[in-house]
Amino acid sequence: MSAIDTLPPLREVIATHQLSARKSLGQNFLLDLNLTAKIARQAGALSECDVLEIGPGPGGLTRGLLAEGARQVLAVEKDTRCIPALQEVAAAYPGRLEVLNGDALEVDPLAHLTPPIRVAANLPYNIGTELLVRWLTPKDWPPFWQSLTLMFQREVADRIVAQPGSKAYGRLAILAQWRAEARIVMSLPPGAFTPPPKVSSAVVHLTALPAPRFPADPQVLSRVVAAAFNQRRKMLRAALKGVSPDIEDRLLAAGIKPTERAEQVSLEAFCSLARQIEEG
Ligand code: SAM
């Protein structure tokens, strides 16, 4: 294994700073620097981008991002114990790493970074979906980010890239695929992490599209999709009863059979339905 920088191996960093993993913070660390460099490469060309990293922990992915040439990295870490280790990384890459000890849910990236911005993270499992939904549903589009390269539990990754007709297809697939291109770029077994989690993981790469694939009001689309999948076993005419009084007509006008279930409806058809409801 070749070194990607002159800093100590991550096992040594963890021992020196006594960073025993805490379950409550979703800590499953990546200690193989070749692997973190590989994940960083999935984030695309970094030399002309700033990068937001959530949950750097002992800094494996952070080092990968910096070694891959990221212009500037903002690393937001909740666990105060990790900060001294991350400061050592900052010292090895002068002026290129800002370490913020705080909660990712509270940070405004644009207060720290200059576009174009890419996001890369091995996310804490407990806030991963919440962060993704926030990044996918900003008030204005295009969003602050150009791409997201994110580690998720495999089951969540499958939901992001799911197509109609599959069990994994739902709100997350619609949100992700309406205004972004989403694909799974790496799969990782539990043994890649320390400590190993119970399930496999996957890295998803999402690229923001300049505009939505199909026109629709974001709030109406979100309401329709939430109602449709909240009762995914029901026919749409029943599941969407509360969304519009003449839902059968609206479904037909959108080219959707009222007896269909949410799982069978394409993104394009959901957008068409949102437009029909908005017009009403
Ligand atoms: N990036 C490191 C790696 O790949 O080895 C650590 C990944 S670990 C899955 C998730 C990290 O997110 C932990 O370091 C944890 O302390 C941090 N974390 C958990 N909740 C957080 C929050 N709300 N804001 C920022 N960081 C958080």
Side-chain angles (χ1 to χ4, degrees):
M1 195 188 299
S2 57
I4 63 164
D5 53 37
T6 55
L7 290 156
L10 286 159
R11 283 190 194 283
E12 205 175 303
V13 173
I14 283 184
T16 308
H17 296 278
Q18 300 182 355
L19 302 177
S20 53
R22 291 197 175 146
K23 223 178 169 170
S24 60
L25 285 166
Q27 292 183 335
N28 299 101
F29 299 134
L30 289 168
L31 302 185
D32 177 349
L33 287 165
N34 289 311
L35 184 57
T36 60
K38 197 169 158 195
I39 297 168
R41 280 197 290 279
Q42 300 296 337
L46 297 180
S47 60
E48 281 163 25
C49 291
D50 282 7
V51 179
L52 169 65
E53 187 194 357
I54 304 301
L61 180 56
T62 322
R63 288 163 64 173
L65 293 165
L66 289 161
E68 286 302 312
R71 191 171 63 182
Q72 174 78 27
V73 177
L74 171 67
V76 184
E77 175 55 62
K78 192 170 176 181
D79 187 350
T80 312
R81 297 177 308 157
C82 297
I83 305 305
L86 293 165
Q87 294 300 3
E88 289 173 11
V89 181
Y93 292 92
R96 289 175 57 204
L97 173 61
E98 182 183 354
V99 180
L100 207 63
N101 187 195
D103 188 336
L105 295 168
E106 322 252 293
V107 171
D108 172 13
L110 288 172
H112 301 264
L113 299 174
T114 310
I117 298 169
R118 294 183 186 268
V119 179
N122 174 13
L123 289 172
Y125 74 95
N126 47 345
I127 59 162
T129 313
E130 182 174 350
L131 279 170
L132 176 65
V133 169
R134 280 192 192 194
W135 289 328
L136 291 170
T137 54
K139 215 158 80 8
D140 301 309
W141 198 269
F144 78 85
W145 50 271
Q146 194 175 66
S147 69
L148 309 172
T149 306
L150 307 171
M151 180 89 68
F152 288 101
Q153 296 172 50
R154 179 75 208 202
E155 174 259 327
V156 178
D158 286 341
R159 284 201 278 134
I160 295 167
V161 303
Q163 295 298 310
S166 69
K167 273 215 170 71
Y169 184 59
R171 180 168 167 257
L172 211 48
I174 303 267
L175 279 184
Q177 296 170 36
W178 181 41
R179 297 190 286 195
E181 205 255 326
R183 62 203 161 86
I184 292 178
V185 290
M186 276 174 80
S187 296
L188 289 94
F193 301 85
T194 305
K198 288 204 172 68
V199 293
S200 296
S201 300
V203 177
V204 183
H205 183 76
L206 298 108
T207 313
L209 298 173
R213 281 182 208 275
F214 311 104
D217 177 83
Q219 260 137 28
V220 179
L221 180 64
S222 173
R223 199 152 47 88
V224 170
V225 169
F229 284 103
N230 271 348
Q231 304 187 67
R232 58 189 298 145
R233 287 167 174 280
K234 283 199 178 168
M235 292 179 190
L236 286 169
R237 67 175 173 216
L240 296 178
K241 217 163 43 189
V243 172
S244 166
D246 50 357
I247 192 63
E248 290 224 23
D249 293 344
R250 309 264 160 213
L251 283 162
L252 288 169
I256 304 169
K257 285 198 210 106
T259 51
E260 275 191 301
R261 289 171 175 79
E263 215 168 277
Q264 299 155 301
V265 177
S266 70
L267 168 61
E268 184 173 10
F270 268 122
C271 291
S272 165
L273 179 60
R275 290 198 302 276
Q276 289 297 331
I277 288 172
E278 200 188 348
E279 278 165 24

